[in-house]
Amino acid sequence: MSQEQPRKTEEEQQPVNYGDVFPVSGNLAEKAITPEDAAMMQSAEARVFGQTQKGGPAAVMESAACKNERAGLVAHGDVTYIVGEEGVTVTDVEVPGQHVIIQSIAGQVIGQYTEPNPMMRSQRDTKQSEITIGEALQATCQTAGNKPVEQSDAAAIQAAEVRATGSSVIVLGGLSASAQSAAAYNEGIIGDQDKIKLSSVLRDATTKLAIDKAVTRDDAEGVITAELRNHPGMPTYPGGVAASVAAAARLNERDQR
């Protein structure tokens, strides 16, 4: 135990860099996230969405910047030079059938949300009375919202998103990408207090899914398998992602009888 302590101290002295939480490369990946960087992204999100997005890039940046500042690795007024020079952007691009919202920093995309327009959303494969995958994921905020995101959660969320959309492509800024970034970030944090929680990732699940569908037993089994595969020897987390999807599937089956 005495030999491991110095390694923890060294890890604590390492800042959270952009490359630790976002799929960026080059010089930006090696730069520490600063409070002013986070503030710029918060302002950009607020201009487009009216507020910062729960679990979005601004929230991730704020959490990382706070950790860096508390560790004394950056100052409150610090701004990363490349970010100050090239800026941050949040753009809403309308394409046939959907809106694509792209978030970039220093010219590199760190978040992308695809939202169907009202006509497209009305065509989703679900009855009004049935619980959808997005709704089941969002319900997890109430039952296990304070749980730090782990790899098992990220795997379950990815399985749920794949079944909802019918696509295995991970969209930047989508639920799967956000969950994976959160899980990777949390692995480097010692205490739970500063870790990203499930509620931050899943609070707007219904709007982040490009396509949604009613939860079935097959969907629930796939999500359960994904969570267990990444947490061997342990049951599914009570009230967690897999448990919420399974509960929704049972309710849908009961209503169909």
Side-chain angles (χ1 to χ4, degrees):
M1 293 296 291
S2 60
Q3 294 178 345
E4 294 180 0
Q5 188 61 36
R7 286 200 296 271
K8 288 185 178 180
T9 301
E10 290 176 5
E11 290 175 1
E12 289 173 352
Q13 295 305 311
Q14 296 298 317
V16 181
N17 296 329
Y18 280 97
D20 295 328
V21 293
F22 295 121
V24 296
S25 59
N27 191 32
L28 179 63
E30 300 174 355
K31 297 299 182 183
I33 300 174
T34 71
E36 281 299 311
D37 295 354
M40 284 192 287
M41 182 57 76
Q42 288 172 336
S43 296
E45 284 192 3
R47 284 195 298 270
V48 174
F49 301 113
Q51 61 182 4
T52 56
Q53 298 298 287
K54 301 295 185 181
V60 172
M61 289 173 66
E62 181 183 17
S63 179
C66 287
K67 178 179 182 295
N68 288 342
E69 185 177 1
R70 280 197 299 270
L73 301 172
V74 299
H76 187 71
D78 282 355
V79 59
T80 303
Y81 176 78
I82 188 173
V83 177
E85 285 292 303
E86 300 187 31
V88 304
T89 60
V90 179
T91 56
D92 184 355
V93 180
E94 187 169 354
V95 298
Q98 60 187 358
H99 288 277
V100 179
I101 298 169
I102 302 172
Q103 295 182 243
S104 302
I105 190 161
Q108 298 194 49
V109 176
I110 61 171
Q112 180 172 310
Y113 305 84
T114 302
E115 297 183 351
N117 63 25
M119 182 177 296
M120 183 177 180
R121 184 168 289 275
S122 67
Q123 296 173 351
R124 71 183 186 178
D125 182 24
T126 181
K127 298 178 182 178
Q128 187 174 2
S129 61
E130 292 178 316
I131 302 171
T132 68
I133 289 176
E135 290 167 342
L137 291 175
Q138 199 159 300
T140 308
C141 297
Q142 303 299 320
T143 56
N146 290 326
K147 179 186 184 298
V149 181
E150 300 178 276
Q151 288 296 339
S152 57
D153 302 312
I157 291 169
Q158 181 178 349
E161 184 172 42
V162 167
R163 287 181 171 273
T165 63
S167 172
S168 59
V169 176
I170 297 178
V171 178
L172 287 176
L175 286 178
S176 296
S178 297
Q180 289 177 3
S181 294
Y185 171 80
N186 286 348
E187 286 181 349
I189 306 300
I190 295 177
D192 286 352
Q193 179 180 354
D194 296 325
K195 291 183 178 181
I196 300 172
K197 309 301 193 297
L198 278 174
S199 59
S200 296
V201 175
L202 297 176
R203 188 164 295 160
D204 299 314
T206 55
T207 60
K208 287 184 179 179
L209 286 176
I211 302 173
D212 207 351
K213 66 181 286 291
V215 185
T216 66
R217 180 184 297 182
D218 287 343
D219 296 330
E221 290 176 353
V223 175
I224 290 171
T225 299
E227 185 171 316
L228 292 177
R229 186 185 300 122
N230 287 269
H231 206 176
M234 298 293 290
T236 57
Y237 188 85
V241 177
S244 294
V245 174
R250 288 194 297 270
L251 288 172
N252 285 347
E253 282 192 344
R254 186 190 65 185
D255 291 342
Q256 290 173 357
R257 292 173 185 170

